[in-house]
Amino acid sequence: QCHRFCAAVAWEPNVPMVIEEIEVAPPQKNEIRIKVIATGVCHSDLYHLFEGKHKDGFPAVLGHEGAGVVESVGPGVTEFKPGDKVIPLFVSQCKECRFCKSPKTNLCEKSWSTERYAQMSNTDTRFSCRGKPVLQFMGTSTFSEYTVLNQIAVAKIHDDAPLNRVCLLGCGISTGYGAAINTAKVEPGSVCAVFGMGAVGLAAVMGCKNAGASRIIAVDINEQKFEKAKVFGATDFVNPKAHKKPINEVLTDMTNGGVDYSLECVGNVAVMRSALESCVKGWGVSVLVGWTDLHDFSARPIQLIAGKTWKGSLFGGFKGKDSIPKLVLDYMAGRIKLEEFVTHTVSLEQINDAIQLMKTGGCIRTIVNVSK
């Protein structure tokens, strides 16, 4: 039967979320109901509420960077049982479609995102509140005590994993880390620049370091972020506002013609162009990591004709079911950092404070303890 649980409902764009009692339907065929223990707050949550503002994307329960425990399973679910620790995946992995079968991508044809990028959710939902359906943001909705997902959008993880840390692998950290490792394919000894020192950018710095980069230049207009960047392996720091020249010229001068790899982790089309122009001609690779769907980007054709490559990366190129359990083990073995991203911890009731912290750049990652 339906149960009533607490969730943060975004009734409309540009308005604070409201803690409501919502009905969460039981899992249907091939579905799992998950008790959400902890979730991070990611910039995509902010983007939907304050920037994308698509009228058909509301009301919704936001949140997509969570971890929890399986509460119950619907008919046809064989991979999961109650009590399993899991991470919801906003990029599913059905293992059957042509994308899942290709080693070239982590996209999945059965994902919510195949048609509804603008609304950032499917029309189908297991949530309702005050008699109205409430959308499941990015197919996940982790700002709720319970959520229901298809089994293709859930990764089973190690029983000993601390959920209030590995939840970060549900989006931001995997996104930045994988963009460096999988999409850019950073090589040992190379020179990298990462634009934007939020959690995704810091994770990209960590990826560049783990891949053996010799120099990693952190670019941000907030110099308070540079100490944090050092922790993850950044070697140089540049504030574009401290220079009279465009940032691409500053980086070109610093690196004898440009960096080997640049990663844009802001979600700003002007910065994307700067990141491309900061790459060395001949073989430079620039990766778009920051999420935005509001503006076109542009560049001069010579940038690409002269041998640069411009690529995009969604969820770090990781196939969720296959890769997230391994990343959890990497964290538990000390191969990747998570602890260092966490600057604040709040309860679900304080969700609007967490959003405000991120809006003002006052945090790296805020962990929300959703359920006991």
Side-chain angles (χ1 to χ4, degrees), residues 63-177:
H64 62 284
E65 193 177 80
V69 178
V70 175
E71 177 256 354
S72 56
V73 301
V77 174
T78 52
E79 200 185 325
F80 301 91
K81 63 186 186 306
D84 284 349
K85 284 189 177 178
V86 291
I87 289 180
L89 303 170
F90 72 88
V91 180
S92 54
Q93 188 187 356
C94 72
K95 301 197 175 185
E96 288 165 3
C97 73
R98 61 188 179 134
F99 291 100
C100 281
K101 285 181 171 165
S102 165
K104 293 178 179 176
T105 182
N106 65 333
L107 300 183
C108 170
E109 249 172 1
K110 295 187 182 166
S111 175
W112 62 271
S113 56
T114 43
E115 270 111 37
R116 286 173 55 95
Y117 266 130
Q119 296 88 341
M120 295 185 86
S121 65
N122 265 339
T123 48
D124 198 23
T125 175
R126 299 290 164 261
F127 293 168
S128 59
C129 183
R130 302 188 203 173
K132 285 192 187 134
V134 175
L135 297 171
Q136 290 186 236
F137 179 66
M138 291 173 82
T140 53
S141 289
T142 56
F143 295 171
S144 170
E145 290 181 315
Y146 283 79
T147 187
V148 179
L149 286 96
N150 191 296
Q151 60 180 348
I152 64 171
V154 182
K156 184 177 185 302
I157 60 170
H158 197 282
D159 285 337
D160 296 335
L163 297 177
N164 65 345
R165 293 296 176 259
V166 298
C167 59
L168 297 179
L169 294 169
C171 179
I173 310 315
S174 305
T175 294
Y177 186 71

Side-chain angles (χ1 to χ4, degrees), residues 37-65:
I37 301 298
T39 181
V41 179
C42 174
H43 193 267
S44 307
D45 303 313
L46 244 80
Y47 169 86
H48 185 64
L49 196 55
F50 299 114
E51 294 164 40
K53 297 192 287 202
H54 197 290
K55 64 176 185 351
D56 297 334
F58 297 87
V61 172
L62 303 183
H64 62 284
E65 193 177 80

Side-chain angles (χ1 to χ4, degrees), residues 232-303:
F232 292 98
T235 56
D236 302 69
F237 309 92
V238 181
N239 176 355
K241 293 204 158 156
H243 296 269
K244 289 196 170 64
K245 281 196 282 198
I247 181 65
N248 58 297
E249 291 180 25
V250 175
L251 291 174
T252 302
D253 293 347
M254 282 173 70
T255 55
N256 185 24
V259 300
D260 301 305
Y261 302 95
S262 68
L263 296 109
E264 193 280 350
C265 303
V266 180
N268 176 310
V269 293
V271 180
M272 291 170 186
R273 180 173 185 159
S274 296
L276 176 70
E277 291 174 348
S278 302
C279 282
V280 68
K281 62 186 180 189
W283 62 77
V285 174
S286 188
V287 182
L288 275 55
V289 192
W291 177 275
T292 183
D293 194 27
L294 297 175
H295 308 285
D296 295 346
F297 57 75
S298 60
R300 290 292 171 92
I302 186 64
Q303 294 285 330

